[in-house]
Amino acid sequence: MTPLSIPVVVMAAISFYIGLYHLFIYFRRPTNRQDLTFALTCFAVGIYDVLCAGLYNVTTPSEGVVWQRYQLITLAFLDIAFLWFVADYTRQKSKKLVYVFSVIFIGFALFGLIDQTGLAWTNQPLIKQFNLPCGFTITYYEMAFGPVMNAEAYMLILSYFYMLWISIRYYQKGDRRKATLLILAVVLFLAGVAEDTAVATGLYDFIYTIEYSYIGMVLLMAYSLSNELVETSIVKEALKKSERKHRELLTMLPQKIFYKNKDSVYITCNDNFARDLNMTPEQITGKTDFDLFPPELARKYRSDDLTILESGTVHTIEEDYILPDGQKCIIQTVKSPIRNEKGEVIGLVGIFMDITRAKELEERVKQSQKMEALGTLAGGIAHDFNNILGGIIGYTEVAQTHTKPGESAYKYLQEVINLAIRARDLIQQILTFSRKSQESRKPINLTTIVSEAVKLLRSTLPTTIEIRHNFNDTIGMINADITQMHQIVMNLCTNAAHAMEDGGGVLEISLSNVLITEESAKIYHDISPGPYVELIISDTGTGIDSGIIHRIFEPFFTTKEKGKGTGMGLAVVHGIVRDHKGDIFVKSTLGKGTTFTIIIPEIIAEPLKKENVSSKIAPGKEHILFVDDEEMLKDLGKIQLESLGYTVTAMNNGIEAFETFKQSPDSFDLIITDQTMPHMTGIHLAQQVHRIKPSIPIILCTGFSDSITPENVKAKGITVLMFKPISRKHMAEKIREVLDKDSPSGPSYKNKTVSHTITGKQEE
């Protein structure tokens, strides 16, 4: 082996090694084609170097002809491979010229392989001899180019100028470090080919350097690609870390997150999403909504997906969601399109969270606002309505004084009073229900409340529903709020009626006394042994599914259609019963009906006696200043009080009343005033009066007021607070209570003892 061929063989080995390495890299990442074209370039350089080494070691002209023929053919394929590498390296979109050059060089190679005419090269070899340093002399044989091979040589140079132009453009637009290395490699390649062509055409005569320029090009590009590989590995590692962090973030987030392709197939999801479906993210990947959810929901989800994919915009959607256990919930989903590098929508990402609790709170706020509005309305009309009721009750009582208790007219008038009192109680119930009145517990008999509820239900329920009841006056007393007990009965009966609205049925209500023993108390919740009153309300309606019966007392849980129920009724009933130290439980059979059983502790107490309007009313002779801005109530107050024997000065204006009092304060023994009046309220009048005569008692009357309570009015000088409407007897009793308390000798009535009956006759 000649000294000239040794470095060439070494360069061939290096080229083959680099080529094999990048071929291996290509197989590991086949999407990056520049590794393949560079590997082919390296193989072509290696083959070319092997052929050069063989040429340097030939001993006969015929051998030199064969070696050089294959060498020049290899050079054509080397140029094709390098052209494609440069195009891939610079990411050329249009490769038309690369195809043109490739076809031309393939043509040259094939022509040179089969040519026997001397157009490619002559068969007369040239003998080359070089004296190298250290006394070495190299002799080798070279063929002379024909016109076709000369054309190929110049075409090679032209292709390298094209590659240089591509490289410069890449430098201007792309990565300058990579572009600089490519430019140096192309220049080396160009210089080697130019020098080889110059020697071959006889322009000058010295040792070939093309093999060195080729290996220089290979090393430069290998260095560039290795840097790229290092950068890629760094990026991959960073990407893996980022993906791990992303996965950890997805796992930690309380929201459910999923990714879908444009066909709505799940690409991946986080653990929270998968957990709701009792699956893993790997099990969900590749599935569609039709594999995971009921058909109607899957169609809804697919329709939403298509809207996102077609519009390419972000959408926020509230939709139903069904968990594997069949439980329904409401979710809020934000769906956003995913785009590729070209801006095309290739899928979507969805982030959703369960907002059922938030919706429940929202409904609770709405319900609270409704109750507040009802309270505001009730409070607004309560004052005026109670004034009207006061007039009805008062004038009816006046009319009764002109009849006898046994007469029919007296009974009719008494019914008017009873109805007015019921209307008064109804206003109080509305105020209590809307929290405009404080809860008031007292000994009551449930029989009365249930009886009133049955009367109301008979007039409101359809005739297809039969009402049966079983109770009597022997039912024990309970300590309860009347309004809340009425609310319990009406809520349960209304629910029963709804369960029977389609086919009718029987609504049965029963009351009984029960004794809970220590043994039987175990079936209840926190119930002490003792006597209880038991209320049972049953229906023959649709019944309740056993799968949801455990949830019926949850706030806002309802099986009714939207707009037909808030889901608060049974929750309120449950709260009231438990607050009264009782218990409630339910039994139901689907298609047969439901039975609610309520027990509330019985107490030993006498029932409240009804007001006896026929009893004697205490009269008096004192002077009373009566103030009310309602003309009707002012006149009625004057009539009623004068009928009781009092001297009455009636005024309809707080300012005028104060001026009248100021003129002769000692002439008045008592002031009865309305609270809500124009110009001067009752409390303001009381404060002004007490500046003149601090000892005078004052009775304050009001139809309704949020800010007035018996406690705070005492601090403002009010002796007694009374709520309208006020019966004649009740007013008379309070007047005597106030005046007799302030009198040191008891009921003196101005040193003249008198009595007054309801008929208005006086007795000494």
Side-chain angles (χ1 to χ4, degrees):
M1 182 180 291
T2 64
L4 184 62
S5 62
I6 295 174
V8 176
V9 171
V10 173
M11 289 187 285
I14 294 173
S15 297
F16 281 125
Y17 173 79
I18 295 175
L20 286 171
Y21 175 76
H22 282 277
L23 186 63
F24 174 74
I25 295 297
Y26 171 73
F27 287 141
R28 293 196 61 181
R29 54 171 194 178
T31 55
N32 199 354
R33 200 177 65 173
Q34 68 178 7
D35 289 309
L36 175 63
T37 52
F38 183 64
L40 294 176
T41 302
C42 291
F43 291 146
V45 169
I47 294 171
Y48 182 82
D49 287 342
V50 169
L51 293 173
C52 286
L55 182 62
Y56 294 152
N57 286 282
V58 298
T59 57
T60 64
S62 58
E63 289 179 14
V65 169
V66 173
W67 283 101
Q68 191 169 29
R69 180 185 292 267
Y70 289 113
Q71 184 190 48
L72 294 175
I73 293 171
T74 303
L75 187 62
F77 287 105
L78 189 159
D79 192 64
I80 293 172
F82 193 56
L83 266 170
W84 280 99
F85 167 69
V86 172
D88 291 335
Y89 187 84
T90 58
R91 297 180 177 86
Q92 289 293 306
K93 293 182 180 179
S94 175
K95 296 184 175 64
K96 292 181 180 179
L97 283 176
V98 177
Y99 281 108
V100 171
F101 279 119
S102 298
V103 171
I104 291 173
F105 290 133
I106 290 173
F108 280 131
L110 293 176
F111 186 81
L113 185 64
I114 63 174
D115 177 56
Q116 300 295 329
T117 63
L119 292 175
W121 40 60
T122 65
N123 288 326
Q124 298 175 0
L126 302 174
I127 300 174
K128 299 285 185 178
Q129 186 173 11
F130 294 96
N131 295 315
L132 297 178
C134 304
F136 291 104
T137 300
I138 297 175
T139 301
Y140 69 95
Y141 299 90
E142 184 179 83
M143 293 170 57
F145 280 6
V148 174
M149 286 297 104
N150 284 328
E152 179 186 356
Y154 289 111
M155 187 59 69
L156 283 171
I157 295 174
L158 181 61
S159 70
Y160 295 145
F161 276 112
Y162 167 68
M163 287 186 275
L164 184 61
W165 176 69
I166 291 175
S167 303
I168 293 172
R169 287 191 60 189
Y170 182 59
Y171 177 86
Q172 294 172 341
K173 297 181 180 180
D175 186 334
R176 294 196 171 188
R177 182 187 60 79
K178 288 177 61 178
T180 301
L181 291 172
L182 178 61
I183 291 171
L184 290 175
V186 173
V187 168
L188 277 174
F189 210 26
L190 180 60
V193 172
E195 187 271 340
D196 185 64
T197 305
V199 172
T201 53
L203 292 179
Y204 55 88
D205 188 14
F206 58 87
I207 191 66
Y208 290 113
T209 59
I210 188 169
E211 293 86 352
Y212 300 98
S213 65
Y214 285 174
I215 193 62
M217 175 272 296
V218 167
L219 292 175
L220 279 172
M221 287 296 92
Y223 172 74
S224 176
L225 292 180
S226 65
N227 279 343
E228 186 174 338
L229 285 172
V230 171
E231 291 172 358
T232 303
S233 64
I234 292 173
V235 170
K236 281 187 176 180
E237 186 62 30
L239 183 60
K240 286 181 181 179
K241 290 182 180 178
S242 176
E243 288 177 349
R244 282 197 299 268
K245 289 181 179 179
H246 183 231
R247 174 63 64 184
E248 291 171 359
L249 179 62
L250 290 182
T251 303
M252 290 187 294
L253 285 175
Q255 292 85 359
K256 283 76 173 175
I257 304 173
F258 59 84
Y259 296 85
K260 295 180 182 179
N261 64 16
K262 62 181 180 181
D263 297 319
S264 288
V265 176
Y266 285 93
I267 301 171
T268 185
C269 65
N270 70 345
D271 291 339
N272 281 340
F273 179 84
R275 194 178 298 116
D276 279 352
L277 299 172
N278 289 332
M279 301 174 76
T280 64
E282 292 74 18
Q283 291 174 321
I284 291 176
T285 300
K287 288 183 169 56
T288 68
D289 290 317
F290 290 93
D291 301 319
L292 304 174
F293 303 102
E296 64 274 10
L297 274 184
R299 284 191 289 270
K300 170 69 167 54
Y301 296 159
R302 176 57 177 162
S303 175
D304 293 340
D305 291 348
L306 288 175
T307 301
I308 310 299
L309 295 169
E310 291 172 0
S311 67
T313 56
V314 179
H315 283 239
T316 301
I317 307 162
E318 284 188 9
E319 50 198 354
D320 293 330
Y321 188 72
I322 299 179
L323 298 174
D325 60 0
Q327 183 178 344
K328 289 184 178 180
C329 60
I330 303 172
I331 61 173
Q332 184 182 69
T333 306
V334 179
K335 291 184 177 179
S336 175
I338 301 174
R339 301 178 185 273
N340 60 14
E341 294 178 352
K342 299 178 181 179
E344 300 168 340
V345 176
I346 58 172
L348 61 88
V349 57
I351 303 175
F352 75 86
M353 62 186 304
D354 187 347
I355 60 169
T356 307
R357 181 60 179 167
K359 296 297 287 185
E360 288 176 354
L361 292 175
E362 182 181 332
E363 287 298 324
R364 185 175 298 178
V365 170
K366 289 181 180 178
Q367 186 71 9
S368 176
Q369 289 173 339
K370 289 179 183 178
M371 299 302 295
E372 185 178 350
L374 176 61
T376 302
L377 177 63
I381 67 172
H383 181 269
D384 293 338
F385 195 67
N386 282 330
N387 281 342
I388 295 171
L389 289 177
I392 294 172
I393 292 173
Y395 279 110
T396 304
E397 288 178 332
V398 171
Q400 274 189 323
T401 62
H402 298 284
T403 62
K404 295 180 180 180
E407 295 178 356
S408 298
Y410 185 92
K411 293 180 180 179
Y412 298 151
L413 293 171
Q414 185 59 47
E415 284 301 316
V416 173
I417 293 173
N418 291 339
L419 290 172
I421 291 173
R422 286 184 63 186
R424 177 198 66 190
D425 293 341
L426 179 61
I427 287 292
Q428 187 63 28
Q429 287 181 10
I430 293 174
L431 292 173
T432 301
F433 185 69
S434 60
R435 290 182 173 85
K436 289 289 181 181
S437 177
Q438 295 295 318
E439 176 185 329
S440 175
R441 295 189 186 185
K442 56 187 176 182
I444 61 172
N445 191 312
L446 269 181
T447 303
T448 305
I449 296 172
V450 174
S451 299
E452 291 181 357
V454 168
K455 291 178 184 178
L456 180 60
L457 288 167
R458 287 191 189 281
S459 63
T460 57
L461 296 183
T463 56
T464 56
I465 297 177
E466 179 187 353
I467 301 177
R468 299 175 186 172
H469 57 85
N470 179 25
F471 45 82
N472 52 54
D473 292 335
T474 63
I475 303 301
M477 304 290 290
I478 62 173
N479 186 43
D481 181 82
I482 294 177
T483 301
Q484 290 183 339
M485 293 301 105
H486 190 269
Q487 191 175 354
I488 287 175
V489 176
M490 292 304 296
N491 269 338
L492 293 178
C493 290
T494 301
N495 282 349
H498 286 161
M500 299 183 289
E501 60 183 353
D502 292 333
V506 178
L507 170 61
E508 189 168 355
I509 309 170
S510 65
L511 280 170
S512 62
N513 298 318
V514 296
L515 180 65
I516 304 297
T517 64
E518 289 188 4
E519 187 65 27
S520 60
K522 296 177 181 178
I523 66 173
Y524 299 97
H525 303 92
D526 300 325
I527 291 297
S528 301
Y532 286 79
V533 174
E534 184 179 67
L535 168 66
I536 300 176
I537 298 176
S538 61
D539 65 73
T540 58
T542 56
I544 304 172
D545 190 341
S546 59
I548 62 171
I549 196 168
H550 64 285
R551 300 187 60 207
I552 61 173
F553 295 118
E554 294 179 9
F556 302 102
F557 178 80
T558 179
T559 58
K560 298 175 185 177
E561 298 176 14
K562 189 174 183 179
K564 286 195 173 183
T566 63
M568 286 295 293
L570 290 178
V572 170
V573 168
H574 182 268
I576 292 173
V577 171
R578 297 297 294 165
D579 194 42
H580 281 75
K581 308 300 181 184
D583 198 11
I584 178 172
F585 55 93
V586 58
K587 292 182 180 179
S588 184
T589 302
L590 203 60
K592 293 186 178 181
T594 303
T595 299
F596 284 92
T597 302
I598 294 172
I599 59 170
I600 296 176
E602 181 183 349
I603 61 169
I604 307 301
E606 291 293 328
L608 294 178
K609 295 181 179 179
K610 291 185 178 181
E611 189 177 286
N612 186 2
V613 296
S614 62
S615 60
K616 290 185 178 182
I617 302 175
K621 285 293 185 179
E622 287 85 354
H623 188 189
I624 299 174
L625 176 61
F626 189 87
V627 189
D628 199 304
D629 62 317
E630 289 280 345
E631 195 71 28
M632 174 265 297
L633 293 179
K634 182 200 76 171
D635 295 340
L636 175 62
K638 183 176 176 63
I639 293 171
Q640 286 183 323
L641 295 176
E642 286 181 345
S643 71
L644 293 171
Y646 296 103
T647 301
V648 181
T649 300
M651 313 292 292
N652 64 355
N653 185 299
I655 296 176
E656 291 180 1
F658 176 66
E659 292 298 328
T660 301
F661 177 82
K662 190 166 60 173
Q663 292 174 7
S664 179
D666 292 332
S667 65
F668 294 100
D669 302 293
L670 173 68
I671 296 176
I672 302 175
T673 177
D674 185 28
Q675 161 60 12
T676 307
M677 298 183 295
H679 308 303
M680 181 179 284
T681 65
I683 290 178
H684 189 198
L685 173 62
Q687 291 171 338
Q688 296 297 322
V689 165
H690 279 157
R691 289 176 181 173
I692 299 173
K693 187 179 180 181
S695 62
I696 188 167
I698 298 175
I699 296 177
L700 182 69
C701 303
T702 181
F704 170 78
S705 177
D706 266 335
S707 59
I708 293 178
T709 64
E711 291 75 20
N712 63 27
V713 295
K714 286 186 180 296
K716 298 177 181 179
I718 304 300
T719 310
V720 173
L721 174 65
M722 301 185 73
F723 289 94
K724 300 177 183 179
I726 307 167
S727 69
R728 178 170 174 263
K729 180 176 182 296
H730 192 200
M731 176 62 81
E733 290 174 348
K734 283 297 178 185
I735 290 174
R736 291 271 36 102
E737 179 183 323
V738 170
L739 292 174
D740 293 346
K741 182 179 180 182
D742 291 339
S743 173
S745 58
S748 61
Y749 314 124
K750 294 286 185 179
N751 298 321
K752 183 175 183 180
T753 304
V754 297
S755 62
H756 196 285
T757 66
I758 199 167
T759 59
K761 296 179 181 180
Q762 296 182 358
E763 296 178 0
E764 297 188 1

